[in-house]
Amino acid sequence: PLCELLDASLLQKCGIIDNEAEFNKKVRMTNTQLHYKQQKFNLLVEESEGFAKYLNAVCLVLNFSVDNNVSLEDGSAFMLKVVATFSLDPNRCLAILLDVLEGELGEAGNPVEPTNQKQATRLKRTVTLIQSLSLQKLPSLLAFKLSEATDKKSVLKCAAFLVVRKLLEMEDFLTFL
């Protein structure tokens, strides 16, 4: 605590530190490591194995059939286990699920009442996977996707679908636009 408060030259004169320049260098390196080094998550390009397993788990859940012995809950649990094992960014995982939902909605004729039973099941499972992650960042993530999207209609369709399913509050989404 005393070393943090006093000037380095004073600490050197008192004999607490040997070299003022070396001390300043260590303080600078420590501050840089504490405040600027990314330690939280792996990015998509940095940890391809984790995201590959994550996408595999998502595909496993979406393509689940009666012949398989994997339930929707088991698939969701496996997906969350992969996120934890590889320290994947939950926001990036949510963004990937939103991309999957966007694709599913693009294939569905009427997403509110799909005529195809398989499509309805895939949409329901996608919603379940999205619900298994934290929805706190969903409005800001959708707003970012909308600002960066070339096909804004599909992102808006995705947002409308989530509002209808009560996963997204319209007011929360509009605050980010």
Side-chain angles (χ1 to χ4, degrees), residues 130-142:
I130 290 172
Q131 287 174 321
S132 68
L133 295 174
S134 173
L135 301 178
Q136 186 178 12
K137 299 285 185 178
L138 187 60
S140 61
L141 196 56
L142 273 170

Side-chain angles (χ1 to χ4, degrees), residues 21-89:
E22 216 174 283
F23 177 77
N24 285 333
K25 182 179 177 183
K26 284 183 181 179
V27 167
R28 195 175 335 108
M29 287 175 55
T30 303
N31 284 336
T32 301
Q33 188 173 22
L34 285 174
H35 299 292
Y36 299 107
K37 184 177 178 188
Q38 180 182 354
Q39 297 176 357
K40 188 173 180 184
F41 298 115
N42 294 315
L43 301 175
L44 186 60
V45 295
E46 293 176 347
E47 190 58 67
S48 58
E49 180 185 1
F51 281 103
K53 287 189 185 244
Y54 176 77
L55 284 172
N56 186 29
V58 170
C59 291
L60 177 74
V61 171
L62 293 182
N63 296 322
F64 168 75
S65 68
V66 180
D67 300 334
N68 295 340
N69 292 328
V70 179
S71 69
L72 182 59
E73 293 78 24
D74 290 342
S76 296
F78 177 67
M79 184 187 74
L80 293 175
K81 183 179 176 185
V82 169
V83 171
T85 301
F86 289 94
S87 299
L88 300 178
D89 180 358

Side-chain angles (χ1 to χ4, degrees), residues 69-117:
N69 292 328
V70 179
S71 69
L72 182 59
E73 293 78 24
D74 290 342
S76 296
F78 177 67
M79 184 187 74
L80 293 175
K81 183 179 176 185
V82 169
V83 171
T85 301
F86 289 94
S87 299
L88 300 178
D89 180 358
N91 296 328
R92 182 66 184 127
C93 292
L94 182 59
I96 289 171
L97 283 177
L98 289 175
D99 289 339
V100 169
L101 178 63
E102 198 175 331
E104 292 294 327
L105 290 173
E107 292 177 15
N110 180 3
V112 178
E113 291 189 25
T115 54
N116 183 349
Q117 182 61 30

